[in-house]
Amino acid sequence: MKLLHIDSSVLGPNSVSRQVSAAIVDRLQRTTSGFDIVYRDLATTPLGHLSGSHLAASQGAAPPADLLADLSAGQTVLDEFLAADIVVLGAPMYNFTIPSQLKAWIDRIVVAGKTFKYGPQGPEGLAGHKRVIVAISRGGLYGPDTPAAVGEHLETYLRWVFGFIGVANPEFIVADGIQLGPEHREKALASALHAAATLKAA
Ligand SMILES: Cc1cc2nc3c(=O)[nH]c(=O)nc-3n(C[C@H](O)[C@H](O)[C@H](O)COP(=O)(O)O)c2cc1C
């Protein structure tokens, strides 16, 4: 079974989402043996943002020489995603949504003909056979009854993106209120780590 583990926080060892995504992978490894794990750190090895040259190359135009390495990196991340049975993603909230490094990755995996297609009924996801587990960390509180709920574009965005490519039920482990003070941070992290440690086996 192939597991793709991705982190996107820029905060290195101080990152909450990195700790929780690692705990999720640890839990899955303990409960199921024989994982083939690929790890990708989007903060230390960022992908380039899409450009007109990327899109022209995808339509068959000869790419400029300075784009070749990035096109190859993009193909690699798409191949990694397509091959994965389980995807574990660390996703912090930056300015109410995902980090731009994670958006650059999403731009490489949401690809017509590979992970979705348009048909007579509209868009159809082609990546529905995967299990996707996301470790989310947010500085504030964004529960349904909070005033900030309307500004939540991290979990809602990822739900939509994964749903669009066919993953109907992505799983989320949430550490909220990380910036509300050390006590709140400890409690939220402990709760998320507990959720990771008791996650459904692979
Ligand atoms: C650049 C930046 C932007 C942030 N923007 C938000 C935000 O819009 N809303 C929020 O609740 N927290 C925000 N935070 C706080 C982070 O979501 C919080 O610290 C979270 O734990 C980050 O995840 P990490 O610990 O895995 O890096 C921001 C943090 C950074 C570094």
Side-chain angles (χ1 to χ4, degrees):
M1 196 179 279
K2 291 186 190 305
L3 189 156
L4 175 61
H5 179 192
I6 294 177
D7 278 319
S8 59
S9 166
V10 299
L11 296 182
N14 295 319
S15 156
V16 169
S17 62
R18 283 175 185 266
Q19 289 180 68
V20 178
S21 75
I24 293 169
V25 172
D26 183 60
R27 161 70 176 174
L28 295 173
Q29 275 186 298
R30 282 173 195 274
T31 49
T32 307
S33 59
F35 271 122
D36 178 7
I37 299 181
V38 172
Y39 179 68
R40 180 164 287 277
D41 190 329
L42 297 173
T44 58
T45 313
L47 295 155
H49 287 170
L50 286 186
S51 66
S53 300
H54 286 88
L55 300 181
S58 72
Q59 304 292 319
D66 62 359
L67 203 65
L68 291 176
D70 186 70
L71 286 172
S72 167
Q75 187 62 51
T76 300
V77 299
L78 177 60
D79 291 344
E80 283 169 1
F81 180 74
L82 291 172
D85 301 294
I86 302 182
V87 179
V88 176
L89 175 61
M93 176 181 273
Y94 292 164
N95 296 318
F96 310 107
T97 186
I98 57 171
S100 56
Q101 292 89 341
L102 181 51
K103 178 62 165 56
W105 178 81
I106 287 172
D107 286 342
R108 303 306 177 101
I109 64 140
V110 180
V111 178
K114 298 289 184 184
T115 51
F116 75 94
K117 67 177 182 182
Y118 281 106
Q121 313 300 327
E124 184 190 332
L126 302 175
H129 55 285
K130 295 179 198 307
R131 182 179 181 192
V132 174
I133 310 164
V134 187
I136 277 185
S137 52
R138 299 181 285 219
L141 300 174
Y142 293 86
D145 301 328
T146 62
V150 70
E152 209 294 328
H153 304 291
L154 169 65
E155 181 175 343
T156 50
Y157 173 73
L158 290 173
R159 258 185 213 287
W160 178 263
V161 167
F162 284 116
F164 183 80
I165 60 173
V167 182
N169 290 306
E171 299 161 54
F172 287 85
I173 293 183
V174 177
D176 252 355
I178 296 304
Q179 299 297 336
L180 298 183
E183 263 184 44
H184 204 108
R185 178 189 169 102
E186 287 305 308
K187 216 171 142 189
L189 177 57
S191 164
L193 291 176
H194 176 74
T198 52
L199 193 69
K200 182 166 71 77

